[in-house]
């Protein structure tokens, strides 16, 4: 596998899996009831495949091992995101934020809406690291991939809670509709240039490691990490650039049954979940 084919694979899997998860969540919203919980349960085989792939590639330093490790991390991540978007694993705060809430309380309550989800992500990342350390694994691309996704997602959510110029809540599922009251719109918060710079530096480091790698497996692995980090960087910029990203998925997302007074859209482009 070449660097270009590995990069295209990463792009395809990212966009396809994102669209598939959004589609499942929207269908669950339309059906109501326990549809979100059932969708999460039906997604458990994806989690099992991710765990199996992670375990089976710990000592595989070939190009195929690097790709399978990358896909395994995405499978584990995808199930956790599905559980979050369907409302199965979120946090204790499931109600809208009262108006005129002080800034410090706004942030604490906002983070409370994600508490269980973030705790699961942290537990998963630590578990992957401990397994690799205990097994003295040579293939660490699954853990690195998960770490990139985790830290990119954390910084994206912090940017939304502290304020970005353009936010669109078009994709917020019913279980997370209350999050719209936690997001803020402001010219730009201080975290944005820091998080963008950190992701840019990380992408540059992966590229440097790729060019200095000695084996084909390492080259492919670092190429995949470079692409996924670049995609995370692009997601950050979409939060502040006037790009209506809802058009990317509008053609495949089921339309709601009927408009409701609770459907509130803030001006702009991206919600970054």
């Amino acid at each position: 596998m070449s660097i270009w084919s590995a990069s295209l694979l990463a792009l395809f899997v990212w966009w396809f899996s994102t669209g598939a998860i959004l589609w499942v969540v929207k269908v669950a919203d339309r059906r109501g009831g326990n549809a979100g919980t059932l969708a999460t349960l039906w997604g458990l085989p994806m989690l099992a495949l991710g765990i199996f792939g992670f375990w089976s590639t710990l000592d595989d330093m070939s190009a195929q091992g690097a790709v399978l490790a990358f896909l395994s991390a995405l499978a584990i991540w995808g199930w956790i995101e599905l559980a979050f978007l369907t409302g199965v694993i979120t946090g204790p705060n499931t109600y809208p934020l009262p108006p005129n809430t002080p800034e410090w309380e706004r942030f604490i309550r906002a983070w409370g809406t994600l508490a269980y989800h973030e705790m699961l992500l942290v537990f998963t990342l630590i578990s992957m690291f401990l397994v690799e350390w205990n097994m003295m694994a040579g293939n660490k691309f699954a853990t690195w991939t998960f770490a990139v996704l985790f830290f990119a997602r954390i910084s994206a959510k912090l940017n939304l809670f502290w304020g970005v110029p353009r936010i669109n809540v078009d994709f917020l599922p019913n279980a997370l509709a209350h999050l719209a009251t936690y997001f803020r719109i402001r010219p730009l918060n201080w975290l944005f240039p820091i998080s963008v710079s950190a992701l840019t530096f990380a992408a540059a480091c992966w590229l440097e490691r790729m060019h200095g790698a000695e084996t084909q497996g390492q080259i492919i692995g670092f190429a995949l990490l470079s692409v996924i980090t670049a995609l995370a960087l692009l997601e950050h910029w979409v939060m502040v650039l006037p790009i209506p990203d809802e058009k990317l998925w509008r053609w495949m997302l089921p339309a709601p049954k009927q408009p409701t007074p609770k459907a509130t859209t803030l001006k702009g482009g991206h919600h970054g979940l």
Side-chain angles (χ1 to χ4, degrees), residues 163-227:
V164 291
R166 301 173 182 85
I167 304 173
N168 186 282
V169 295
D170 182 71
F171 288 138
L172 281 177
N174 293 340
L176 302 179
H178 62 284
L179 278 179
T181 64
Y182 292 80
F183 296 157
R184 300 181 59 195
I185 298 178
R186 57 164 44 169
L188 204 64
N189 72 79
W190 57 268
L191 177 65
F192 184 80
I194 296 177
S195 58
V196 167
S197 299
L199 286 171
T200 303
F201 178 75
C205 288
W206 297 133
L207 288 172
E208 191 276 333
R209 294 288 300 275
M210 181 186 70
H211 289 295
E214 298 178 353
T215 65
Q216 185 66 11
Q218 290 178 328
I219 293 174
I220 297 301
F222 288 122
L224 292 170
L225 288 171
S226 301
V227 171

Side-chain angles (χ1 to χ4, degrees), residues 16 113 121 170 203 220 222 232 236:
F16 177 81
T113 65
L121 291 175
D170 182 71
I220 297 301
F222 288 122
H236 274 63

Side-chain angles (χ1 to χ4, degrees), residues 128-167:
M128 295 172 72
F129 171 78
L130 290 178
V131 169
E132 286 185 346
W133 180 74
N134 185 58
M135 298 293 292
M136 300 182 68
N139 187 346
K140 298 180 175 62
F141 291 115
T143 302
W144 285 338
T145 300
F146 198 92
V148 168
L149 292 170
F150 172 69
F151 288 109
R153 204 54 113 207
I154 287 289
S155 61
K157 290 171 182 174
L158 287 174
N159 274 296
L160 287 168
F161 291 148
W162 285 340
V164 291
R166 301 173 182 85
I167 304 173

Side-chain angles (χ1 to χ4, degrees), residues 17-52:
S17 59
T18 299
I21 291 174
L22 288 173
W23 183 84
V24 170
V25 171
K26 286 294 186 180
V27 170
D29 280 352
R30 293 192 65 186
R31 294 186 176 181
N34 295 324
T37 302
L38 291 175
T40 302
L41 292 176
W42 278 105
L44 283 174
M46 176 174 63
L47 176 63
L49 285 174
I51 295 174
F52 175 77

